[in-house]
Amino acid sequence: MSQLIYEASVYTRTVSYKNFKGQTNTVELYFALDPLELMRVIAGFEPKKIKSGNPALRGKEAEISDAEQLKFVHDLACRSAGSPSDDGEVWTPFEKFSESLAGKAFLTKLASSDGDRKEFSSKVILDPFRAFVQYAVSDDSNTPSDVQQFKTMLTQMENIFKVPDPKEETLDEKKARLAAELAAMSESGPAEGTEGDNGINSPCNG
C-alpha cells in the first residue's frame, strides 16, 4: 500500500473587531484541515444533478451558485478553525467558532469579499490538495486509476471554488446579492432544480 506523506498547512489571518463593551480586540485565527479530514471533505462532496425534461441535460452536474459556494466556504471555515499546540504536534478545534465575535468578524469578511474567499479556499483546501495529488502522482505504487481519481477530486474542488471575473454592480445589486448569499447559508436541503446535497455536514449550524 502506498504511504503518501502529506504536510498539512496552516492558514493564519488577523482580525479586529469591537466587542459588546465597545472595546477593540485584535486576534490571530488559524485554519487547517489534516490529511484525513481533507480527504473526507473532498470525497464526501457529491455534485448536485440537474433535473430537466431535456434528456441532454438530465443527470449532468449542476453548476454551484455563488450562494452555495459561500455556504460551503463558510462551513469549511468553521470546520477548519482551531489552533496548534506550542510544540506543533496537536491541533485543537475552535469550538463554536461561528458564535464567537472573532469568528463572526472573519466569516463576515468571507461573505463580503470574493478575494478573501479565494485566498481562504486556496490556502486551506486547494493548495494542500494539489500537493497531495503531486505526492500521489510521484508514487509508483499508485495505479493510473488511483491517480485519476485524485485528479478528478481536485478538478471538482477547483470548479467549486473558482471566483468569477469581477463585474460592475450597483450598490443595490450588491446588497441584494449579499442578502441572497447570507440567506442561503441558513437554508438546508438541495437547491431548486437539483437533487441530493454536497455531503458536507455544517459544523456552524448545530
Side-chain angles (χ1 to χ4, degrees):
M1 180 180 294
S2 172
Q3 298 296 323
L4 298 180
I5 299 174
Y6 180 80
E7 180 181 354
S9 60
V10 177
Y11 175 57
T12 305
R13 280 299 299 267
T14 300
V15 298
S16 297
Y17 61 90
K18 285 189 176 182
N19 64 22
F20 296 115
K21 294 184 177 181
Q23 301 165 328
T24 298
N25 290 330
T26 299
V27 299
E28 278 196 332
L29 298 176
Y30 303 92
F31 303 88
L33 290 174
D34 65 50
L36 293 179
E37 184 72 8
L38 184 59
M39 284 297 296
R40 281 194 289 269
V41 170
I42 305 295
F45 179 78
E46 298 178 3
K48 298 173 183 178
K49 304 298 182 180
I50 297 174
K51 293 195 296 184
S52 172
N54 184 345
L57 297 177
R58 188 183 309 130
K60 287 190 174 182
E61 294 182 5
E63 289 188 4
I64 188 170
S65 68
D66 290 343
E68 290 169 332
Q69 182 198 71
L70 177 59
K71 184 179 187 303
F72 194 34
V73 175
H74 178 278
D75 292 346
L76 285 174
C78 294
R79 182 187 295 271
S80 61
S83 58
S85 60
D86 290 340
D87 61 6
E89 295 292 331
V90 178
W91 182 262
T92 302
F94 192 141
E95 299 293 342
K96 297 183 178 180
F97 177 71
S98 64
E99 296 180 18
S100 70
L101 289 180
K104 291 178 186 294
F106 180 78
L107 294 172
T108 298
K109 289 179 66 65
L110 283 187
S112 60
S113 170
D114 288 341
D116 281 359
R117 289 202 295 276
K118 180 178 180 180
E119 180 176 292
F120 175 83
S121 60
S122 292
K123 298 295 185 181
V124 178
I125 302 296
L126 297 180
D127 287 350
F129 199 69
R130 288 187 185 110
F132 184 92
V133 172
Q134 288 303 311
Y135 282 118
V137 171
S138 63
D139 191 324
D140 294 336
S141 66
N142 283 325
T143 66
S145 177
D146 291 334
V147 172
Q148 185 56 48
Q149 185 178 19
F150 291 137
K151 289 182 176 180
T152 298
M153 291 179 183
L154 176 59
T155 298
Q156 287 181 337
M157 290 296 103
E158 289 174 336
N159 288 335
I160 290 172
F161 295 117
K162 64 183 178 183
V163 176
D165 294 332
K167 60 181 180 180
E168 293 294 330
E169 287 182 309
T170 65
L171 181 58
D172 288 340
E173 287 173 339
K174 185 170 185 177
K175 286 180 177 179
R177 176 174 62 84
L178 291 175
E181 291 175 352
L182 291 170
M185 290 194 299
S186 62
E187 296 175 356
S188 59
E192 184 178 357
T194 64
E195 57 187 4
D197 57 36
N198 63 18
I200 302 298
N201 294 320
S202 170
C204 289
N205 298 325

